[in-house]
Amino acid sequence: MSRDIVQLLPEHVANQIAAGEVVQRPASVVKELLENAIDAAATHITLAIKDAGKTLIQVSDNGVGMSPADALLSFERHATSKINTAADLFHLTTKGFRGEALASIAAISHVSMKTCRMEDELGFEVDLKGGQIIRKEPGVVSKGTTVGVKNLFYNVPARRNFLKSDRIELRHIIDEFERVAVAHPQIGFAFYHNDDELFGLEPSNRRQRIVGVFGRKINEKLVPITEDTDIVRIEGFVGKPEFAKRTKGEQFFFVNNRYVKSGYLHHAIKGAYEGLLQEKQHPTYFLFLQLDPETIDINIHPTKTEIKFEDEHAIYTILKSAVKHSLGQFNIAPTLDFRHDSKLDTPYNYKDKAPRAPQIEVDRNFNPFSDNVVSPSTGGVKRMPQFKREEQSWESLYVGLSKEESEGFSKVQFESEVNTENLFYAEAEDRQHAGVFQLQRKYIVSSLKESMLIVHQHRAHYRILFEEFLKNITVERGITQQLLFPLILPLNPRELQMLKGVKEMLEQIGFQFASFDQEQVQISGIPSSIIDTQVNAILDRFLADFEQNVPKEELDTSQALARILARNASIKTGISLNTEEQLSIINRLFACKEPNLSPESKPVFIRLGTEDLDKRFK
Ligand code: ADP
Ligand code: MG
């Protein structure tokens, strides 16, 4: 007679197995205990660890505490006060809900808990070893709960041996601590390691908390972000691109105050930074998303931080545009004292209102090499020519330069209307002499407040045209200049296919095609910012470039097209520019959304401040 061989695992074995899922390293214990303290409505939480948590992890809170019966029950598997029915799973507002953590932790360590509710005179203490209660008695305990976890993995040698060096385990613990601390600025925290205080955080607002956790220097790098929509509310901060780091920096997503990882949303952020970061740089962000709990699913693996959204595509789009918007608004402001227009909508939406170009004040008599630095125009109100940004058209640059010099670029037209408004000078007494000159046919040098501005002419024009073209593609059609004689562009079939694919966008930019046949296209109109003799070369190079990096997503096509076209149509190093052209570039550059970097993420200008100069004269 054969025996039945299926049997239930003894409770302590089952707990050990479950523990393996919940507790992978000391940091997992830290996370669970901190979250329990938060769920218990604590306003102050102290974390103390020894030897990176291998010897001791202790979390004390001033939360609601537990009755003796609840304290004992809390170590039972699936004991939780946080959900009653399956339906509760869909509107979780607490961190925990599985009722697994304490049972799991207790199964693989020595735990002692002390707890006392507000309303109780006497508290309760209970000690466990390997999940078995070894002591329980009433005791004088301060209000709240303290859970101490000693000798983690004492009965699971494989796990214990798997632990990394103290330095690495401590790093993991700090990571968990930071996530919790940043998500809960209203809670005070203290964190001790081997009696050293690593963090002491007073209750504060979000920004102060981030500064408290990551240090004072992060403050100036943060750009606030808020976006309120029907499906998601986004708040938080993103890092200014100029401070982006080569190492993966601080990247935090919180959904309903729970730290989550999301490759998908990270991708949205990276998209928003496109063109602003240099290669291998990483954006910093602290983003807090609030959603209806019914529209998210965090009911997955206990230690996983992934999340599922019901409406993830919409969230992606909203997030990306919110980040772009904030970067666009704040990007330049602190660097150049440029008063940003708070009415600017999402990036590249110029529909409602053309952005006002900031003005550079120019003293036409200024000669950087002359001793006489007194400008005749400093007395009284300065009335400076304003080089107004064209509202409907991108007028031609560089008409009239000699052909070799200009490579066919048309000249800037100026509106020399007098206007005293000057965005670079907040105070009249701040006004300085400003001038421009060209260096090596490569740089445009100007002064800006107390500093010296050196602009890379090609990259600047590249940035200007890129934004202009992108605007034409996405918002308003560019102006077409009709050609008297259509241009013929011979193409191979592959090129023709490619051109067909972007025909509509090219038409948005201002191209007009008279015909498209097997071997050639006839071009009857071109954008006003390009001149006819250049068209074939530009389109040729455009097609070659475009073939090299065909954008994968529809979304990126317009960007790629604008970028490649702008690169090929922009003035190059080696072209000499007259003063007005130089000024036009500077003015247009600073009317751009993202003047700091070229579309290929290279710096467009540098600014040398007085301190920088002083340093060099030491
Ligand atoms: P979960 O958090 O998923 O409910 P845990 O095993 O982490 O499961 O905790 C079990 C229960 O113990 C909780 O539901 C809660 O009622 C109680 N508990 C745990 N830690 C604390 C604490 N610090 N303060 C008050 N109650 C606590
Ligand atoms: Mg818990």
Side-chain angles (χ1 to χ4, degrees):
M1 207 178 86
S2 64
R3 222 157 52 84
D4 291 338
I5 55 167
V6 175
Q7 44 180 306
L8 280 175
L9 291 170
E11 168 98 8
H12 74 277
V13 178
N15 277 344
Q16 269 197 29
I17 293 171
E21 291 208 330
V22 179
V23 184
Q24 283 151 352
R25 54 185 359 138
S28 330
V29 174
V30 168
K31 171 176 186 271
E32 294 295 339
L33 298 184
L34 290 177
E35 289 188 348
N36 279 349
I38 289 164
D39 284 345
T43 59
H44 192 90
I45 301 174
T46 302
L47 166 65
I49 60 172
K50 289 214 155 66
D51 306 320
K54 292 170 184 172
T55 313
L56 172 74
I57 298 164
Q58 181 180 291
V59 171
S60 310
D61 67 59
N62 62 353
V64 295
M66 279 172 274
S67 68
D70 282 350
L72 292 173
L73 201 60
S74 70
F75 290 101
E76 298 288 325
R77 207 134 70 92
H78 304 304
T80 177
S81 56
K82 298 167 195 174
I83 57 173
N84 286 316
T85 68
D88 290 346
L89 273 175
F90 298 100
H91 26 83
L92 287 168
T93 52
T94 55
K95 306 280 168 190
F97 57 88
R98 288 184 186 78
E100 254 173 356
L102 286 182
S104 298
I105 293 165
I108 48 167
S109 66
H110 299 172
V111 173
S112 64
M113 176 191 277
K114 296 184 167 108
T115 187
C116 183
R117 294 183 299 182
M118 262 319 183
E119 60 267 39
D120 295 337
E121 285 283 296
L122 208 56
F124 186 71
E125 302 182 10
V126 53
D127 295 347
L128 299 93
K129 189 175 171 183
Q132 305 299 310
I133 292 168
I134 54 172
R135 183 182 77 100
K136 51 176 181 173
E137 58 196 11
V140 180
V141 173
S142 48
K143 307 287 177 188
T145 303
T146 295
V147 177
V149 176
K150 284 187 185 157
N151 308 324
L152 187 64
F153 299 131
Y154 80 100
N155 52 356
V156 197
R159 281 276 179 188
R160 205 173 53 232
N161 297 335
F162 178 76
L163 289 178
K164 299 273 172 25
S165 69
D166 281 11
R167 196 174 50 84
I168 291 176
E169 294 301 338
L170 178 61
R171 188 63 244 173
H172 283 289
I173 292 174
I174 292 173
D175 283 348
E176 292 293 353
F177 175 82
E178 287 176 352
R179 293 165 186 173
V180 173
V182 169
H184 300 278
Q186 74 287 359
I187 298 176
F189 288 91
F191 178 1
Y192 299 90
H193 180 226
N194 295 339
D195 304 323
D196 289 338
E197 189 186 51
L198 300 189
F199 294 88
L201 304 168
E202 294 302 314
S204 58
N205 65 28
R206 242 175 216 157
R207 189 171 192 130
Q208 291 165 334
R209 174 54 52 90
I210 291 169
V211 169
V213 172
F214 298 99
R216 210 152 272 293
K217 62 185 188 308
I218 202 167
N219 194 27
E220 59 167 336
K221 306 180 186 174
L222 300 178
V223 174
I225 173 169
T226 48
E227 185 73 66
D228 211 348
T229 70
D230 287 347
I231 45 174
V232 61
R233 180 175 167 73
I234 300 169
E235 267 183 37
F237 300 92
V238 290
K240 291 178 193 162
E242 62 263 38
F243 292 111
K245 295 194 275 189
R246 295 231 160 231
T247 54
K248 220 166 172 199
E250 289 84 29
Q251 302 182 334
F252 292 85
F253 280 120
F254 300 91
V255 172
N256 295 352
N257 270 358
R258 176 192 298 271
Y259 173 82
V260 299
K261 284 193 183 121
S262 168
Y264 185 67
L265 294 187
H266 176 73
H267 189 264
I269 312 270
K270 280 181 67 180
Y273 274 89
E274 199 184 314
L276 292 174
L277 294 183
Q278 310 205 25
E279 224 182 303
K280 297 199 192 105
Q281 282 190 328
H282 300 277
T284 293
Y285 53 82
F286 302 89
L287 293 168
F288 300 82
L289 281 61
Q290 293 288 340
L291 292 96
D292 181 345
E294 299 205 20
T295 66
I296 58 176
D297 179 9
I298 37 129
N299 185 21
I300 41 178
H301 193 276
T303 55
K304 293 238 170 91
T305 40
E306 277 90 17
I307 189 162
K308 284 192 219 142
F309 300 99
E310 202 173 270
D311 208 349
E312 67 173 9
H313 187 72
I315 292 168
Y316 181 102
T317 311
I318 294 166
L319 188 62
K320 182 169 169 180
S321 96
V323 172
K324 269 198 116 155
H325 176 75
S326 290
L327 290 175
Q329 276 202 338
F330 290 91
N331 186 19
I332 184 179
T335 333
L336 289 173
D337 312 317
F338 175 77
R339 277 186 240 145
H340 72 263
D341 181 352
S342 59
K343 284 207 210 81
L344 287 183
D345 276 337
T346 48
Y348 302 112
N349 182 359
Y350 296 73
K351 218 180 274 169
D352 306 330
K353 187 174 172 231
R356 241 181 319 147
Q359 301 302 308
I360 294 269
E361 253 184 277
V362 176
D363 177 355
R364 280 152 194 291
N365 300 320
F366 177 76
N367 174 348
F369 305 113
S370 113
D371 290 332
N372 175 21
V373 292
V374 180
S375 157
S377 57
T378 43
V381 182
K382 241 181 182 173
R383 296 175 70 82
M384 282 298 153
Q386 183 188 26
F387 306 108
K388 217 171 100 189
R389 189 189 170 93
E390 262 293 311
E391 304 214 334
Q392 330 84 1
S393 80
W394 175 250
E395 78 240 325
S396 301
L397 277 169
Y398 315 117
V399 165
L401 291 183
S402 72
K403 194 165 178 249
E404 315 83 86
E405 265 194 352
S406 69
E407 287 180 25
F409 293 101
S410 52
K411 196 171 216 150
V412 190
Q413 296 159 10
F414 287 98
E415 273 206 25
S416 356
E417 220 188 277
V418 180
N419 189 311
T420 50
E421 169 136 37
N422 189 312
L423 294 177
F424 285 98
Y425 297 91
E427 300 293 330
E429 48 272 34
D430 265 0
R431 293 183 175 192
Q432 308 263 323
H433 312 297
V436 294
F437 64 95
Q438 201 186 9
L439 194 67
Q440 310 274 355
R441 291 185 174 181
K442 183 172 185 184
Y443 298 112
I444 302 168
V445 183
S446 177
S447 60
L448 182 63
K449 274 205 156 174
E450 264 111 51
S451 55
M452 184 172 171
L453 189 66
I454 304 168
V455 177
H456 191 289
Q457 67 183 45
H458 163 63
R459 291 179 191 170
H461 194 214
Y462 186 3
R463 162 58 63 186
I464 293 163
L465 288 183
F466 168 75
E467 294 202 3
E468 190 67 27
F469 290 153
L470 198 56
K471 175 183 119 188
N472 291 156
I473 298 172
T474 53
V475 184
E476 58 180 23
R477 217 183 169 93
I479 299 293
T480 299
Q481 145 193 0
Q482 299 291 335
L483 298 174
L484 274 180
F485 305 103
L487 290 166
I488 309 288
L489 184 66
L491 294 174
N492 67 34
R494 210 182 48 244
E495 289 170 330
L496 200 73
Q497 273 321 106
M498 241 171 354
L499 205 61
K500 270 194 181 142
V502 292
K503 180 169 175 262
E504 261 176 40
M505 287 185 186
L506 290 173
E507 285 169 343
Q508 278 288 122
I509 289 175
F511 283 97
Q512 234 171 47
F513 299 98
S515 73
F516 252 80
D517 61 42
Q518 280 320 78
E519 272 137 38
Q520 61 180 45
V521 292
Q522 273 196 22
I523 300 162
S524 53
I526 58 171
S528 53
S529 48
I530 295 178
I531 74 154
D532 51 0
T533 53
Q534 278 288 293
V535 173
N536 278 15
I538 290 173
L539 282 180
D540 251 2
R541 277 178 298 190
F542 164 73
L543 285 171
D545 280 359
F546 205 65
E547 191 174 24
Q548 289 298 301
N549 31 105
V550 181
K552 277 155 213 80
E553 292 172 54
E554 183 61 44
L555 205 73
D556 298 335
T557 310
S558 48
Q559 292 248 354
L561 189 138
R563 189 169 55 235
I564 295 167
L565 212 54
R567 182 170 58 225
N568 289 307
S570 50
I571 54 152
K572 307 292 183 292
T573 295
I575 308 279
S576 78
L577 304 168
N578 66 30
T579 308
E580 287 176 342
E581 289 157 347
Q582 295 167 33
L583 280 168
S584 166
I585 286 189
I586 292 184
N587 281 327
R588 285 160 194 274
L589 176 66
F590 291 112
C592 283
K593 290 276 176 188
E594 295 154 1
N596 296 12
L597 293 175
S598 79
E600 283 168 17
S601 299
K602 303 235 179 67
V604 172
F605 61 84
I606 55 172
R607 204 173 91 148
L608 290 175
T610 319
E611 305 108 289
D612 301 313
L613 293 172
D614 288 347
K615 250 183 244 155
R616 310 212 60 168
F617 280 106
K618 262 199 188 131

